[in-house]
Amino acid sequence: MDDSDISGMTFEQAMAALEQVVTQLERGEVALDQSVRLSERGAKLKERCAMLLKEAEERVEKILLGEGGVPAGTVAVEGL
């Protein structure tokens, strides 16, 4: 996979790919130039995860309960 595939990844796919990058780097068994490429890919994957998480947080809504505990609507959660 090259870096162009990152923009189409779901959060779960990006996290799994990031975990693979981290594992490879932690092992220390890759050449320096490959370590640099992996680090760059990891940074892009982290950025993708952060963006998707922010988008999800912005969509989180708090359910408002009306009379008798029946949902009466939604309101965006503040501060996210």
Side-chain angles (χ1 to χ4, degrees):
M1 284 187 160
D2 61 23
D3 290 346
S4 64
D5 66 323
I6 294 174
S7 64
M9 287 183 171
T10 65
F11 179 81
E12 292 78 8
Q13 291 169 329
M15 280 297 293
L18 182 56
E19 288 173 5
Q20 290 176 345
V21 167
V22 170
T23 299
Q24 287 181 298
L25 290 172
E26 286 179 340
R27 282 192 205 135
E29 299 172 354
V30 293
L32 179 60
D33 61 331
Q34 187 179 1
S35 291
V36 171
R37 283 193 302 274
L38 283 170
S39 294
E40 290 169 344
R41 180 170 172 81
K44 291 175 184 175
L45 288 163
K46 178 190 168 288
E47 192 174 297
R48 174 72 176 161
C49 288
M51 182 195 71
L52 291 172
L53 187 57
K54 182 173 172 39
E55 287 176 3
E57 287 174 343
E58 289 173 352
R59 292 190 318 255
V60 171
E61 295 180 326
K62 177 179 161 186
I63 297 174
L64 298 177
L65 299 179
E67 256 183 71
V70 177
T74 60
V75 64
V77 175
E78 296 178 27
L80 294 179

